[in-house]
């Protein structure tokens, strides 16, 4: 089976991918690219819902976005560390799926998991390219592989983007994928736990507002934006808008 992905969104909590890059995922799925989501943790420390409801919601969201695969690497929410054991798990996943582009969490954010995960994924991507680090998939030695581009999401904290992508046509799919996390967002019920700042309906308004704001910068209705640790090049200046 060919497991190669064009685009991988590798983020720490189920729902980070939808909130930060749901439109981008839907856009590339629609254009025929193979896209996958890798969640590093099950989000088991979330205030509302449970590990089980979150897994069901992540599955439903993946279906809405149309991704080829969604996997969970089972690191510990809140307590994972950037060290060899975690890095090896990520290296295995990168070498298995050989994505051209990886999108990960914001380098610096309100939630400390985001910055730590970003650093962990960035370090592991570098290490995945070193052939003397041996990893195995179903008993077979994996080839060294390094994606050609890695980008970071912009999450709660406003960070000036390095690239902005038009997702206007895909806003509705993004919104549906976020709303698939029924216990997390847009819910006034206290059945799934106390209200949090993301469960309040105003959170979706601010997510939409952010997409509008990024969009306005490039004269489109909705956009998602990313940062890059390396300078970005383009083959054709006329592709820039
Ligand atoms: Zn998160």
């Amino acid at each position: 089976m060919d497991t190669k992905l064009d685009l991988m969104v590798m983020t720490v909590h189920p729902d980070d991918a939808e909130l930060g890059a749901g439109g981008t995922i839907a856009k590339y799925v629609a254009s025929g690219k193979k896209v996958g989501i890798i969640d590093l943790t099950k989000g088991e420390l979330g205030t509302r819902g449970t590990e089980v409801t979150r897994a069901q919601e992540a599955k439903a969201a993946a279906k809405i976005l149309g991704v080829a695969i969604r996997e969970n690497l089972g690191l510990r929410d809140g307590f994972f560390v950037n060290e060899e054991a975690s890095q090896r798990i990520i290296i295995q996943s990168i070498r298995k799926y050989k994505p051209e582009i990886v999108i990960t969490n914001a380098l610096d954010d309100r939630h400390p998991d985001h910055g730590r995960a970003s650093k962990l994924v960035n370090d592991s991507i570098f290490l995945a390219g070193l052939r003397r680090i041996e990893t195995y998939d179903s008993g077979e030695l994996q080839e060294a592989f390094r994606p050609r581009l890695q980008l970071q999401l912009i999450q709660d904290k406003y960070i000036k983007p390095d690239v902005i992508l038009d997702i206007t046509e895909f806003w509705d799919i993004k919104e549906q994928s976020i709303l698939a996390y029924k216990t997390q967002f847009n819910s006034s019920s206290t059945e799934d736990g106390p209200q949090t700042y993301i469960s309040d309906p105003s959170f979706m308004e601010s997510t939409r507002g952010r997409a509008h704001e990024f969009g306005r910068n490039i004269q489109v209705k909705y956009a998602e934006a990313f940062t890059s640790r390396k300078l970005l090049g383009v083959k054709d200046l006329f592709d820039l808008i």
Side-chain angles (χ1 to χ4, degrees), residues 73 83-95 120 124 127 132-136 142:
L73 299 186
E83 42 69 71
E84 185 177 349
S86 312
Q87 288 160 359
R88 281 189 176 273
I89 292 170
I90 293 170
I91 293 168
Q92 269 174 334
S93 179
I94 297 286
R95 288 177 173 176
L120 169 61
S124 305
L127 296 172
R132 292 196 190 276
I133 298 176
E134 293 187 354
T135 55
Y136 294 84
Q142 294 182 301

Side-chain angles (χ1 to χ4, degrees), residues 12-13 15-16 105 111 114 155:
V12 65
H13 306 120
D15 77 17
D16 287 347
N105 289 99
H111 196 316
H114 294 164
Q155 300 189 261

Side-chain angles (χ1 to χ4, degrees), residues 21 34 62 103 121 133 150 154 196 228:
K34 239 178 126 186
I103 297 175
V121 172
I133 298 176
Q150 60 216 70
I154 293 171
T196 64
S228 171

Side-chain angles (χ1 to χ4, degrees), residues 20-136:
T24 301
I25 293 170
K27 181 175 179 135
Y28 285 111
V29 168
S31 77
K33 298 280 191 207
K34 239 178 126 186
V35 185
I37 299 173
I38 305 285
D39 302 308
L40 300 186
T41 77
K42 297 192 170 75
E44 61 268 27
L45 296 184
T47 306
R48 293 169 61 83
T50 63
E51 201 178 302
V52 175
T53 56
R54 211 121 187 234
Q56 290 164 347
E57 291 165 353
K59 205 171 160 189
K63 205 169 162 197
I64 291 166
L65 293 173
V67 292
I69 58 119
R70 180 171 210 153
E71 273 184 22
N72 196 295
L73 299 186
L75 299 186
R76 283 183 72 208
D77 193 9
F79 296 105
F80 67 90
V81 280
N82 185 0
E83 42 69 71
E84 185 177 349
S86 312
Q87 288 160 359
R88 281 189 176 273
I89 292 170
I90 293 170
I91 293 168
Q92 269 174 334
S93 179
I94 297 286
R95 288 177 173 176
K96 176 176 178 185
Y97 290 112
K98 298 183 167 51
E100 295 296 314
I101 300 176
V102 175
I103 297 175
T104 189
N105 289 99
L107 276 166
D108 178 30
D109 207 34
R110 169 183 169 270
H111 196 316
D113 276 2
H114 294 164
R116 212 161 72 258
S118 191
K119 184 82 175 51
L120 169 61
V121 172
N122 277 299
D123 289 354
S124 305
I125 283 175
F126 181 82
L127 296 172
L130 301 181
R131 70 184 183 88
R132 292 196 190 276
I133 298 176
E134 293 187 354
T135 55
Y136 294 84

